[in-house]
Amino acid sequence: MISNNNSIGFFDSGVGGTSILKEVITLLPFENTIYLSDSKNAPYGQKTKEEIIALCVKNTEFLLAKNCKIIVVACNTATTNAIDFLREKYAIPFIGIEPAIKPAALITKTKIIGILATKGTLNSTLFEKTSKTISKDITIKETIGKGLVELIEAGKLHSEEMNDLLLQYLNPMIENDIDSLVLGCTHYPYLIPQIRKIVGSKIKIIDSGEAVAKQTKAILEKNNLIKKDAKKASHIIYINKDKTALKNLIINDGIEVIEKDF
């Protein structure tokens, strides 16, 4: 039986989804959380749809075994490839993450928006469907951020190699006069300081974190699953690889990190 005191579950192909975890904890500070970092299988963006679904099922089963009351699929690639399957297979509510191209389309003045995402997200049916809802007078410049997730997972967030890749991916979009940049991977918000140095102050950087946190709260309220008491929350991260990559991403001292093979 699902209890209000049960945890909110999260999973991602690695540590990137902690950017979503951070936003949820900020908005819902008394909620318990369990985060699953499937780092040994990162990145999902290079895998087939069938492989991604299989990994998502495995992650979901792990979180269900921990009695999670709701699951946030804290990964754009997993959402765009597997969220429909998960919702059909399991009765628990799922929160998905899509690249925020709709908000970008609403604010663009140049009518040109950039999106930096994984191959798995950009090639997905859901992304194609969402893109078709955007006005035809708006141009979307898509760029696959190949190698970015791997560097973040390896703890090379501020490396010269990372900066070189960002310059390679962002400069063509700047030259194409984008005024909004959508980050289509939950790993990428950790790159915002470096991205800002490259794109300057005039280009709006958009990620989905705050919107996902608000949606999580709304779904919990709708299903009467908000934690009733204000006792100190429990936060656990399970990671199936060395936890070194998490050391610069841990958002408070109250999070327990457990290395576990799954």
Side-chain angles (χ1 to χ4, degrees):
M1 181 178 176
I2 296 178
S3 164
N4 296 75
N5 290 327
N6 288 6
S7 298
I8 301 172
F10 300 76
F11 74 79
D12 182 28
S13 61
V15 301
T18 55
S19 65
I20 302 296
L21 175 68
K22 176 181 179 180
E23 296 288 351
V24 172
I25 290 176
T26 298
L27 185 64
L28 299 165
F30 301 114
E31 291 288 344
N32 300 317
T33 67
I34 296 176
Y35 179 95
L36 195 62
S37 174
D38 190 19
S39 292
K40 76 177 182 182
N41 289 305
Y44 282 7
Q46 305 299 320
K47 300 184 185 300
T48 66
K49 182 183 178 91
E50 291 72 25
E51 289 172 330
I52 294 166
I53 289 174
L55 290 168
C56 290
V57 167
K58 178 203 68 169
N59 296 338
T60 297
E61 297 283 354
F62 184 100
L63 292 171
L64 290 178
K66 299 292 182 183
N67 296 315
C68 289
K69 61 185 178 182
I70 187 173
I71 294 178
V72 179
V73 183
C75 174
N76 293 81
T77 300
T79 296
T80 51
N81 286 275
I83 193 74
D84 290 340
F85 180 90
L86 295 175
R87 285 173 173 157
E88 288 179 8
K89 183 175 176 65
Y90 302 101
I92 193 170
F94 284 88
I95 306 295
I97 300 172
E98 293 182 58
I101 55 176
K102 290 181 180 179
L106 291 173
I107 65 171
T108 181
K109 298 289 190 283
T110 64
K111 301 297 182 183
I112 305 170
I113 61 178
I115 174 165
L116 185 64
T118 67
K119 179 181 177 181
T121 292
L122 294 176
N123 288 347
S124 68
T125 302
L126 181 56
F127 178 75
E128 181 184 6
K129 182 179 178 181
T130 303
S131 298
K132 287 180 178 178
T133 66
I134 304 303
S135 173
K136 287 184 171 56
D137 66 343
I138 293 176
T139 300
I140 302 174
K141 297 293 183 180
E142 303 172 9
T143 299
I144 296 172
K146 186 176 181 180
L148 299 180
V149 169
E150 290 90 332
L151 288 175
I152 295 171
E153 290 290 324
K156 298 179 179 179
L157 196 61
H158 303 287
S159 64
E160 184 177 342
E161 187 179 358
M162 178 70 80
N163 190 63
D164 288 344
L165 283 179
L166 288 174
L167 286 169
Q168 177 185 330
Y169 299 148
L170 297 173
N171 279 336
M173 287 195 277
I174 297 170
E175 291 167 3
N176 277 287
D177 201 28
I178 68 165
D179 64 356
S180 302
L181 175 65
V182 178
L183 303 182
C185 173
T186 54
H187 283 72
Y188 296 171
Y190 288 112
L191 299 172
I192 288 177
Q194 294 105 300
I195 291 172
R196 177 57 69 200
K197 288 179 182 178
I198 295 170
V199 304
S201 59
K202 293 183 179 179
I203 293 176
K204 176 75 173 177
I205 301 173
I206 304 171
D207 74 84
S208 306
E210 185 178 353
V212 172
K214 289 179 179 178
Q215 176 68 359
T216 301
K217 181 181 180 182
I219 296 299
L220 287 173
E221 290 174 338
K222 179 181 178 181
N223 290 276
N224 195 29
L225 289 173
I226 290 284
K227 189 164 173 269
K228 301 296 185 184
D229 62 64
K231 292 180 182 178
K232 184 178 179 181
S234 166
H235 305 294
I236 302 173
I237 295 177
Y238 290 95
I239 185 167
N240 56 13
K241 202 173 180 180
D242 182 82
K243 60 185 179 183
T244 304
L246 277 168
K247 66 181 179 181
N248 295 322
L249 307 182
I250 295 298
I251 56 181
N252 66 48
D253 294 332
I255 296 180
E256 180 183 4
V257 179
I258 299 173
E259 288 184 23
K260 181 182 179 63
D261 190 35
F262 53 82

